[in-house]
Amino acid sequence: MAITLISTREVQDGAKVRMRFSITGAHKQSLATEALHGLAQERGLRVSDEKLYDELVKQLGLSTVEERMASYIALRAGLPEARRQNLAILFNPEPVKPTMPDALKKTDDTFEVDVFVHPRFELSSYEPVYLHEPPAQVTEEAVNAQIMREMNRFATYEVSDGPVAEGDCVQVNMSTLANGVPEMSLSGDELAIVLSRELMPEGFVAAVEGMNVGDHKEFQFTNKESNQNLVHYSVAIDVLDKRRRIVPELTDEFVAARLSQEDKTVEQFRNRVRVYLQGQISEGDSARREELADAELGRRLRGAIPDALIERTAADMLESIRANSAAQGLTLSQFIELQGMNEKQFQMTVMMQARESLRQGLALDALFEHLDMQLDKADFDRALTELAPGAEDEARKNFQANDAWFIVRNMAVRLKAHDWLMRTAVFA
């Protein structure tokens, strides 16, 4: 067989089942190539197979590419074996060693995969939850923040003379290397950049401040990213244009002319914003009640959640935050700075959120089993909509083809248990 199970054993107090496999060289090479094609598709990269590996390494770095191949091979081995052994699992399997150095070589090999076992818990009570719901209030800080968001819609960037300063919007031609690899988010022609220490890597703003339109500069600086590794940046930049951001003053005249057809004064507009925010709170009552009910059920969970599951959940959360930040043009470090935290505080916050998310999810699992609920086609359809809205049919095929249907089932279980929780909850 292309992949053969050699042995299994429990590790980390039963939180994982560690599987050891052998794999033929031809199949290993084939899976590694599939992984590269998937990575290239995500990047929108179209090159020949002969150049694919080198181009991906150039764009993403060696470690990212090597880890992707090892993870993909682990998935293609671990998921089918978990299904054959009828193991209830929480997460996709992961390789014990993060890389497989000879993944693209046509040589037989062995490797190990960790499968995260779904733990079973009991609740201290299975009675409906009873909750006291404090009234939500609109604070003056919330009103001010909403007004600032409104005013920012009318902000303009006006050409200004003099050297570049923090807060300016500059148009640049820029080329950046991070540890010798092109940093695509900080490279390009005619880029518009807001010069802010909250948005740009530490050291960048200080190096650019004082430049004038027409200036060229090359500089280096080192920044510690959230993974504690030092990143050495090398930047070449040409300043093409410089503009100062101007937010208009909030006056009675501005309110009447630009903000509202009904309001004539700042105070009238503030009152309208306050009413709007109160309405938003009322509309959000349902979501707030769901959060309160899930948290209360989670407090009933009996037993300790394995650290391995918490660490894996936190890692998944961190990767999601990193991806969302990148979509907004931010590095993870920049995102953390915008939250007003240092890296240790942020990591602790993510770990706490991971623990709470697991606790609430596992409590819903326990409720589902205690009530002896059953899933039907409608439950799976709903779970697919939750996981891939608008692309349910394609998602169904992918989950089934990749032996990853457990993800859909886990979602369906929790949605059905949550429905019972909300139908029976008492709020006072």
Side-chain angles (χ1 to χ4, degrees):
M1 295 181 64
I3 298 179
T4 304
L5 179 68
I6 299 174
S7 63
T8 62
R9 59 190 174 96
E10 291 187 354
V11 296
Q12 295 192 347
D13 297 325
K16 300 177 182 178
V17 171
R18 182 160 293 176
M19 301 177 177
R20 184 171 180 82
F21 295 93
S22 63
I23 185 171
T24 64
H27 193 56
K28 180 184 65 174
Q29 185 186 64
S30 175
L31 291 180
T33 302
E34 286 181 20
L36 294 180
H37 281 294
L39 198 53
Q41 186 175 8
E42 294 173 10
R43 301 284 298 181
L45 184 64
R46 294 185 178 181
V47 297
S48 64
D49 285 356
E50 293 77 14
K51 298 180 179 179
L52 187 55
Y53 176 81
D54 290 338
E55 186 61 31
L56 285 170
V57 169
K58 179 181 177 182
Q59 290 196 18
L60 302 176
L62 178 63
S63 61
T64 298
V65 175
E66 294 284 334
E67 288 170 8
R68 179 62 172 263
M69 290 190 295
S71 294
Y72 186 76
I73 293 171
L75 281 177
R76 295 299 299 271
L79 286 176
E81 187 59 38
R83 178 175 53 80
R84 281 191 288 270
Q85 295 189 27
N86 200 29
L87 291 177
I89 61 177
L90 265 183
F91 307 108
N92 279 328
E94 64 181 20
V96 174
K97 293 183 178 179
T99 63
M100 187 180 289
D102 296 329
L104 286 169
K105 292 183 179 179
K106 226 173 187 178
T107 55
D108 295 351
D109 211 338
T110 61
F111 61 98
E112 290 184 314
V113 176
D114 278 344
V115 174
F116 294 83
V117 180
H118 194 312
R120 300 303 179 191
F121 289 93
E122 293 289 337
L123 303 182
S124 59
S125 170
Y126 294 92
E127 296 297 317
V129 298
Y130 183 90
L131 294 163
H132 171 68
E133 187 180 22
Q137 296 180 341
V138 176
T139 64
E140 286 305 301
E141 289 79 5
V143 172
N144 291 335
Q146 181 62 31
I147 289 176
M148 181 55 67
R149 283 191 287 271
E150 291 290 325
M151 296 300 293
N152 281 335
R153 294 191 298 115
F154 300 95
T156 59
Y157 284 94
E158 301 179 3
V159 175
S160 61
D161 298 326
V164 169
E166 185 171 10
D168 287 346
C169 178
V170 293
Q171 187 181 53
V172 300
N173 291 339
M174 184 163 67
S175 174
T176 303
L177 300 177
N179 289 338
V181 178
E183 177 58 61
M184 305 307 293
S185 64
L186 295 174
S187 299
D189 293 334
E190 299 183 355
L191 292 178
I193 297 174
V194 176
L195 209 61
S196 166
R197 284 180 168 82
E198 294 180 342
L199 300 176
M200 302 302 292
E202 184 178 352
F204 180 88
V205 174
V208 175
E209 279 186 310
M211 293 183 68
N212 290 287
V213 173
D215 284 354
H216 171 84
K217 189 174 184 179
E218 297 182 12
F219 59 91
Q220 295 81 37
F221 65 94
T222 300
N223 188 33
K224 179 176 284 190
E225 300 290 351
S226 60
N227 59 7
Q228 302 300 315
N229 293 327
L230 290 177
V231 178
H232 301 282
Y233 290 96
S234 180
V235 181
I237 185 170
D238 294 282
V239 178
L240 308 177
D241 186 49
K242 180 181 82 73
R243 296 171 184 264
R244 170 66 61 177
R245 187 170 185 271
I246 306 295
V247 178
E249 182 182 358
L250 181 63
T251 63
D252 292 346
E253 292 75 17
F254 188 85
V255 167
R258 305 295 299 275
L259 288 177
S260 174
Q261 294 181 347
E262 295 84 7
D263 304 320
K264 303 302 181 185
T265 67
V266 171
E267 190 56 36
Q268 288 174 348
F269 181 69
R270 288 184 65 84
N271 288 335
R272 182 177 297 280
V273 170
R274 189 176 290 105
V275 171
Y276 165 78
L277 291 177
Q278 189 63 57
Q280 291 291 97
I281 288 176
S282 298
E283 291 179 8
D285 278 350
S286 175
R288 192 155 58 100
R289 287 186 168 194
E290 292 186 20
E291 292 173 0
L292 289 170
D294 285 336
E296 176 60 27
L297 187 74
R299 282 189 278 271
R300 298 180 179 182
L301 194 72
R302 299 171 62 182
I305 301 173
D307 289 342
L309 300 185
I310 297 173
E311 292 169 1
R312 174 58 187 269
T313 302
D316 286 349
M317 285 183 169
L318 198 60
E319 186 56 37
S320 177
I321 293 170
R322 191 192 308 276
N324 290 336
S325 299
Q328 301 173 45
L330 301 175
T331 66
L332 184 58
S333 292
Q334 292 166 350
F335 176 83
I336 293 171
E337 290 174 6
L338 288 174
Q339 310 311 304
M341 303 182 192
N342 60 40
E343 291 175 2
K344 288 186 178 179
Q345 290 172 327
F346 183 76
Q347 289 170 357
M348 181 61 68
T349 298
V350 171
M351 193 67 72
M352 292 172 63
Q353 291 174 348
R355 184 186 299 275
E356 182 59 23
S357 175
L358 266 176
R359 186 169 68 166
Q360 293 181 19
L362 293 170
L364 289 170
D365 296 340
L367 181 64
F368 181 92
E369 291 195 1
H370 177 81
L371 297 176
D372 196 24
M373 293 179 174
Q374 302 297 319
L375 297 174
D376 56 26
K377 181 179 181 300
D379 295 318
F380 288 113
D381 289 344
R382 181 185 173 195
L384 283 167
T385 298
E386 186 76 15
L387 291 165
E392 292 86 351
D393 291 341
E394 182 179 356
R396 185 192 304 274
K397 293 176 183 177
N398 288 337
F399 282 124
Q400 291 174 337
N402 295 317
D403 286 297
W405 193 250
F406 75 94
I407 297 174
V408 183
R409 188 184 187 282
N410 288 348
M411 176 63 73
V413 163
R414 293 179 179 181
L415 289 173
K416 194 153 192 171
H418 176 78
D419 285 348
W420 182 93
L421 180 68
M422 296 310 300
R423 285 198 307 270
T424 60
V426 179
F427 294 89

